[in-house]
Amino acid sequence: MRRILTSALTVLVAAAVPAAANAQLPPIPQLPVSSSSNFQDEINHRIDDARAQVEDITSKAFPQKAPKQKAPTPAKKTEPRNSGGVDCANCVAITYDDGPGAETNRLLDKLKAKNAHASFMVLAPSAEQHTELLKRMKAEGHTIGNHTKSHRQLNTLSYEQVSQEIDAGNAAIKKATGQSTRWVRPPYGATNATVDQVTHDKGVSQALWDVDTVDWKDRNSEHVCSSAVQGARAGSIVLMHDIHPTTVDAADCVIDGLRAKGLEPVSLDRLLRTPAAGKRYYARG
Ligand code: NI
């Protein structure tokens, strides 16, 4: 009996192992050398990354076990859970700057109802004022990024001044959520070698964008939606602002429109799992 069981197991393992062995193991990233990065946070991030990598490998090795992705059906009342597939090939990061504010909770409700994820690039004073919103963002799987303390053009400042702007944002996020952010969004996209150096030294990455909806300018929901959806391709980072009611009004249209194109709105941490410190990201790839 034992012999039969053993050979049955051998057959099972033999069937499974070659498929698993063919799956490419991604390189293990080095821990960034940073004077101020929080070691425990880094460990937590690495554990999340490892978990995601195991998920990818498992699904490649055993594709029959992965749920089949259905064509997007935005008209349906209940949105299907869709995190962009295991390898996130069709993912787009939708990002909201300058909050949190009076409109942010309404946006979080919309994202939750659609089962979509986003990133919030917060200003330090607003983050300090609305810690409950940051806690909700974290709890619901969104990425929180640092949009600095006073929204100055970082490329006009000294190393020390850039450092202070970033430190204040990092501290506000850490205080509200207990977790450090990986992302800084330089206001106006204004960056230079000094900003590269400061972000590198602090172990954070620069989240820029390849799709600018210019939602702050005309405050028109239809324009926000069409520029986001028409501009986005797989791997895009879309810039919006959650302080404008017209942008929040457009959220359903943006999510449905992206899904109709076969794209899935996700958080930055989902789109870019292991960003390099100091690097400028305009999109994935
Ligand atoms: Ni801004």
Side-chain angles (χ1 to χ4, degrees):
M1 183 61 182
R2 193 175 164 189
R3 208 191 162 102
I4 294 165
L5 273 177
T6 310
S7 30
L9 272 173
T10 311
V11 170
L12 277 174
V13 169
V17 164
N22 286 338
Q24 289 265 314
L25 275 167
I28 297 167
Q30 297 295 310
L31 286 173
V33 180
S34 164
S35 53
S36 61
S37 78
N38 182 301
F39 186 69
Q40 186 57 50
D41 282 332
E42 194 52 45
I43 294 294
N44 289 341
H45 285 315
R46 296 297 166 192
I47 290 170
D48 287 346
D49 292 343
R51 202 170 280 144
Q53 286 172 1
V54 168
E55 192 184 294
D56 279 357
I57 291 162
T58 311
S59 67
K60 278 172 193 158
F62 306 104
Q64 73 279 9
K65 289 191 179 173
K68 253 194 166 177
Q69 296 292 319
K70 283 186 181 174
T73 49
K76 258 191 169 180
K77 266 192 173 177
T78 315
E79 295 294 332
R81 181 167 179 82
N82 184 345
S83 59
V86 284
D87 60 358
C88 215
N90 63 336
C91 288
V92 171
I94 54 173
T95 67
Y96 294 94
D97 286 15
D98 295 356
E103 294 292 320
T104 307
N105 216 31
R106 193 162 69 87
L107 177 56
L108 285 165
D109 288 344
K110 285 174 179 286
L111 292 166
K112 191 176 184 185
K114 292 278 180 192
N115 205 352
H117 293 100
S119 301
F120 293 87
M121 317 312 265
V122 300
L123 290 165
S126 309
E128 284 162 6
Q129 205 184 332
H130 297 288
T131 53
E132 76 293 348
L133 288 173
L134 269 76
K135 286 185 172 76
R136 182 176 176 194
M137 290 167 192
K138 184 193 168 193
E140 295 180 0
H142 305 294
T143 293
I144 303 168
N146 177 356
H147 199 37
T148 75
K149 180 184 181 182
S150 45
H151 209 271
R152 298 174 69 186
Q153 287 192 43
L154 299 184
N155 62 352
T156 64
L157 306 182
S158 69
Y159 182 101
E160 194 50 45
Q161 288 171 316
V162 172
S163 200
Q164 287 168 4
E165 283 288 325
I166 291 176
D167 282 348
N170 283 352
I173 294 168
K174 174 90 182 181
K175 196 176 173 193
T177 65
Q179 202 170 49
S180 299
T181 182
R182 292 170 158 187
W183 297 103
V184 167
R185 169 157 284 160
Y188 317 101
T191 186
N192 63 4
T194 305
V195 179
D196 292 347
Q197 190 61 52
V198 176
T199 49
H200 173 269
D201 293 349
K202 294 184 181 299
V204 290
S205 308
Q206 300 179 64
L208 295 151
W209 57 85
D210 65 338
V211 180
D212 186 351
T213 60
V214 204
D215 60 334
W216 53 270
K217 203 171 175 186
D218 56 19
R219 313 282 176 93
N220 178 315
S221 298
E222 279 176 37
H223 291 179
V224 175
C225 183
S226 60
S227 52
V229 172
Q230 284 169 21
R233 58 172 181 81
S236 279
I237 301 175
V238 181
L239 172 67
M240 293 176 280
H241 299 79
D242 57 320
I243 51 171
H244 303 307
T246 40
T247 298
V248 175
D249 290 342
D252 296 295
C253 176
V254 169
I255 295 163
D256 291 346
L258 290 173
R259 285 178 173 162
K261 277 180 78 173
L263 300 170
E264 182 60 22
V266 300
S267 69
L268 268 172
D269 282 337
R270 178 84 177 93
L271 184 73
L272 294 155
R273 282 178 181 150
T274 51
K279 190 172 168 181
R280 306 173 188 178
Y281 289 90
Y282 295 88
R284 181 183 61 192

